[in-house]
Amino acid sequence: MSKDERKQQQIIRASKQLAMLATLRLIGLITEQEYDIVVASIYRDYPVIVGLNLK
């Protein structure tokens, strides 16, 4: 697996997690504080999405 493919897979996984998390927050199943904690952990686990550079 090339470096670019790995980066793309990480972006896709992180995006799915963020979308699911946003949905849970919107329907009120998690609090804003819980949301912030999980978002921080996603950014920590997938640093590629913090500085999204697809070049």
Side-chain angles (χ1 to χ4, degrees):
M1 180 180 315
S2 75
K3 186 177 180 180
D4 288 337
E5 289 173 330
R6 187 169 187 271
K7 184 186 281 189
Q8 287 176 345
Q9 286 182 348
Q10 287 180 341
I11 292 168
I12 290 169
R13 268 187 254 129
S15 297
K16 286 179 180 179
Q17 289 179 11
L18 289 168
M20 180 178 58
L21 187 63
T23 301
L24 292 174
R25 178 65 188 114
L26 281 172
I27 60 177
L29 293 178
I30 60 173
T31 66
E32 188 172 347
Q33 183 180 12
E34 291 168 326
Y35 173 84
D36 291 339
I37 291 168
V38 178
V39 165
S41 71
I42 292 170
Y43 285 145
R44 184 190 66 236
D45 293 344
Y46 299 100
V48 68
I49 64 171
V50 175
L52 195 58
N53 183 0
L54 299 176
K55 291 183 183 179

